[in-house]
Amino acid sequence: MATHDEHPQSTLRPWLGVSAITASLFVFLTTELMPVGLLTPVSASLGISVGVAGLMVTLYGVSAGLGVPFIVAWTRRVNRRALLSTLLAILTLGNVITALSPNYPLVLTTRLVMGFASGVFWAIGVSMAMRLVPGRHASRAAAIVMSGISVAAVVGIPLGTALESLTDWRTTFLIWAGLSALVFLAVVAIVPSLPSANAVPVREVFGLPLRNVPLRLVLCTVVLFVLGHFGAYTFVRPYLESATSASPLFITVLLMVYGAGGAAGNFIAGHTVTRNLRGSFIVGCAGLVVSMLLLLAIGHGQAGSVIALILWGVSFGVVQLCQVNMTQAAAPDTFEAAMSLNTMAYNTSIALGALFGGLFADHLGVASVVWFGVALTAASLLLTLGTRQRTSRAVPDNALAASE
């Protein structure tokens, strides 16, 4: 494992490149989760149930999860700037087709294709950002890219909900197509050539969890908490509408509150993961469990729902940053390959969480989806508590720089 500087001069351009990759994460994540805030109008417009509308998240996650290890391995000799540009072009076109689609099957097909592009980005994006800057700044670059998650939660998804309330869901996707096109142009103009590095053949990718026990445990932990979190969060709008008769404006505010909590959690975890990674994840995961229980207990009033969503957002911000660091700690020498497996586990779990949540929502009511979230996040917490500390070592500040 060697640390090196591909671009030793720390100038403005490399950091602009990091910003372009962060913007890429923003548009990919908001496109993936956009239906969370639009389930009700999409289902009404296309004449489908809310549970069936949730398949927009499910199929996107299926392709993002299951396809990424293969595509990353097959493109291991492709220049990463060219690959990212292609992924953003697919995202832009997919948002346009979604906005203009005359029927739901075409929407689902388009989301399936877009999911492949999103999954590959998650596997290569952080590594690309680390390579743009001098090695000593690699961890900072990774943290900046990951902050795009919080920005998407604070601005992207609530803004999509607000735009839909002002226009309609089709216009919202058209606007996101425009944003995706702008990010594509930024990547082409700013990000330098990045020959592929740290990619391995498919057979070696899938062999990693068999040889690496800490990585295997991390992946199991990720599957459980993502199933629970996204199973419940995908249907948070229908739940709030039924529990509090919340207006679209209030739901937008709540989603922004949740996103602000996520940003705070990400900031807090940035200071705690280097000291106690395992403890940070345990506290964050416990917060997910408690926040969903609070939503069930006091979420029938506006104040109670605000409290629950703040804690939920903070807790998710913590566990989100922790799980990336846990993957890095478990497989520092094969970070891109390990991240492709992490992406597969993460996005497949988003898909399954949305699928199971839809079944619960349609057959047992939306409150049952929150109980589903409680059960799965609690299982992730118990697995971590029962795992020896060596499987989630703290990551030094400069650890990410060594992944290349």
Side-chain angles (χ1 to χ4, degrees):
M1 181 172 63
T3 302
H4 65 275
D5 294 349
E6 294 192 26
H7 305 278
Q9 300 299 318
S10 182
T11 63
L12 177 62
R13 187 179 176 88
W15 290 107
L16 288 176
V18 172
S19 298
I21 294 174
T22 305
S24 300
L25 185 149
F26 172 81
V27 293
F28 274 111
L29 183 59
T30 51
T31 297
E32 178 173 2
L33 298 179
M34 186 74 70
V36 170
L38 306 178
L39 285 183
T40 303
V42 169
S43 63
S45 172
L46 298 178
I48 54 177
S49 70
V50 170
V52 172
L55 290 175
M56 293 177 69
V57 179
T58 300
L59 289 188
Y60 195 107
V62 166
S63 56
L66 297 182
V68 59
F70 299 96
I71 299 174
V72 169
W74 293 335
T75 60
R76 63 184 182 274
R77 295 184 178 88
V78 177
N79 187 289
R80 271 15 195 176
R81 180 182 66 174
L83 181 58
L84 177 55
S85 299
T86 301
L87 301 177
L88 286 166
I90 293 172
L91 187 73
T92 301
L93 181 60
N95 275 322
V96 171
I97 294 174
T98 300
L100 302 178
S101 177
N103 55 66
Y104 192 54
L106 181 56
V107 170
L108 290 183
T109 303
T110 304
R111 297 279 298 180
L112 188 69
V113 175
M114 294 165 70
F116 286 116
S118 180
V120 176
F121 169 79
W122 281 102
I124 69 172
V126 174
S127 178
M128 287 180 64
M130 293 190 300
R131 294 170 60 193
L132 288 177
V133 299
R136 66 185 183 277
H137 296 310
S139 59
R140 183 188 304 173
I144 290 172
V145 172
M146 294 304 295
S147 72
I149 296 173
S150 298
V151 175
V154 174
V155 179
I157 298 173
L159 180 59
T161 306
L163 288 173
E164 187 280 327
S165 66
L166 296 173
T167 56
D168 55 52
W169 67 270
R170 294 182 184 275
T171 302
T172 301
F173 277 104
L174 277 178
I175 292 172
W176 246 251
L179 289 176
S180 302
L182 290 176
V183 175
F184 166 81
L185 294 175
V187 168
V188 171
I190 298 172
V191 176
S193 175
L194 288 173
S196 177
N198 199 11
V200 298
V202 173
R203 63 181 180 277
E204 295 184 26
V205 172
F206 286 101
L208 285 177
L210 300 178
R211 302 188 302 269
N212 189 328
V213 175
L215 179 60
R216 184 164 69 242
L217 291 172
V218 168
L219 294 176
C220 290
T221 301
V222 167
V223 166
L224 289 171
F225 93 78
V226 175
L227 274 174
H229 165 77
F230 281 102
Y233 185 65
T234 299
F235 294 90
V236 69
R237 176 172 178 167
Y239 176 81
L240 291 170
E241 287 174 336
S242 65
T244 66
S245 299
S247 66
L249 177 61
F250 181 67
I251 291 174
T252 300
V253 172
L254 278 181
L255 292 177
M256 294 182 69
V257 165
Y258 166 88
N266 192 279
F267 177 80
I268 293 168
H271 291 277
T272 63
V273 294
T274 57
R275 298 177 178 86
N276 191 336
L277 176 55
R278 180 173 183 267
S280 298
F281 182 81
I282 288 172
V283 171
C285 202
L288 289 178
V289 177
V290 172
S291 64
M292 293 182 203
L293 289 174
L294 284 175
L295 188 64
L296 290 164
I298 63 175
H300 298 285
Q302 291 189 349
S305 60
V306 170
I307 292 171
L309 266 293
I310 290 175
L311 179 59
W312 195 345
V314 171
S315 302
F316 182 68
V318 171
V319 298
Q320 174 63 27
L321 188 59
C322 285
Q323 62 92 16
V324 173
N325 281 272
M326 288 161 65
T327 303
Q328 163 64 18
D333 295 323
T334 52
F335 184 39
E336 189 174 281
M339 277 303 296
S340 71
L341 291 174
N342 179 294
T343 302
M344 180 179 71
Y346 199 103
N347 284 279
T348 303
S349 298
I350 290 177
L352 292 175
L355 175 62
F356 295 149
L359 293 174
F360 275 96
D362 285 348
H363 294 90
L364 298 175
V366 288
S368 66
V369 185
V370 183
W371 282 111
F372 171 82
V374 170
L376 272 295
T377 51
S380 181
L381 176 61
L382 291 175
L383 175 62
T384 305
L385 290 172
T387 300
R388 287 184 294 176
Q389 190 164 353
R390 68 176 181 85
T391 63
S392 53
R393 302 181 299 275
V395 181
D397 289 334
N398 63 349
L400 286 175
S403 66
E404 293 296 331

